[in-house]
Amino acid sequence: MNAANGRLDDAITDFSRRLVNVDGMVKTVYTAGFGPAVVLMPEMPGISPDVLRLARWVRDAGFTVYVPSLFGVDGAYPTIEGGQEVLRRACVSAEFRAFAGGGTSPATAWLRGLARQAHAECGGPGVGAIGLCFTGNFALTMALEPAVIAPVVNHPSLPLDDPAGLEISDEDAHAVRDRIRRDGLKVLAYRFDADRWCTGQRFAAYQALLGDAFDGRVLPGSAANTNPPPFFRDVVGSPHSVVTAHLVDEDGHPTLQARDEILTFLTDRLSTSGHSEDNRQDR
C-alpha cells in the first residue's frame, strides 16, 4: 500500500523477474505468458499498475510480454512528487534524449537487443513493440531491428520542448522509413486530441516521414478517464495515456476499443500457425 495516497502499488508477483544483458548493459525485465514476443515499454514515471494492467492484457491475448525497467520504481503508483523526481532524472540521463536536437535515445539500442533475444526465445514471425509516452517513439526506432514487425506508438511525448518534433536522428528516421517501406510494415499510433504533450503537429510529422504506413488514430479528449493517478492529473495535466492511466475500463468505451485494436494489430502481425507449442515455455 502506498501510504501517501492510499492506493495499492503492484507487487508484480505474476511475472518472472530477469536480468537481461545486452552488450554488457544489464537491466531488469519482467516477463509473462506464452507465444510470440511483445516488448512493452513503460511510460513516465515507470512500470505503474496501469502499465502492468496493459501488460496482462497483452499476455492474456496470447503473447509473451517483456516489460523492461527503464526508470522509476517498478510497480509504484504514480504520485506527484515521486513522478516529478523520476522525470527530472530521466531528462538528464545519458540514456534518453528528452529535448529537441538530441536525436535518437541511446536506450533504444539496448531495446533492440532485447527484441532480438525475445525473438530467439519465443520464435514466431517477429516481435511487437509498444511504446508509451516518454518511450512512445522508441517503438518506431526499434523497427531498425529486423525482428520488430509490429510497432505501436502511443502518445509519444518526446521531444518535450518541440510539439512538432520526433525523437529520432535524421539518419535513423530515414533508415526506419526505408525499412518500413521495404518490408511493408505499418505503424499504429494513438493520441487524444486535447493532449498537450503529443500534439497534432507531432502526428503530422510522423505522417510526413512514413506516409501511408503511419496509422495515427485520435480519440476525443472528453473520452479520457477523469480520475487518473495524481502524476497524470497534476503534472501531465491533460488527456494523454490512451491505454493506461486515462483508459476507462468499460465495454464499448473508446479507450477500451483502442486497446482491442492494438491487440488485434499484434495478433494479425505476430500470430502464425507455424509457431510450435513445443517452442513455448513459461517465462
Side-chain angles (χ1 to χ4, degrees), residues 129 229 281:
Q281 52 184 330

Side-chain angles (χ1 to χ4, degrees), residues 198-216:
C198 180
T199 65
Q201 293 168 282
R202 181 155 294 150
F203 265 33
Y206 279 109
Q207 193 79 55
L209 175 65
L210 302 174
D212 292 341
F214 180 69
D215 183 0

Side-chain angles (χ1 to χ4, degrees), residues 18-31 39-42 66-70 95-96 104-118 138 141-142 145:
R18 303 167 53 185
L19 295 177
V20 175
N21 187 323
V22 175
D23 297 330
M25 182 176 291
V26 178
K27 294 183 182 294
T28 297
V29 178
Y30 298 89
T31 62
V39 177
L40 171 61
M41 292 159 277
Y66 289 68
V67 187
S69 179
L70 302 179
E95 289 196 85
F96 306 109
T104 301
S105 289
T108 59
W110 188 92
L111 290 163
R112 292 196 297 272
L114 173 62
R116 286 193 297 275
Q117 291 190 27
F138 293 5
T141 313
M142 284 177 69
E145 163 55 46

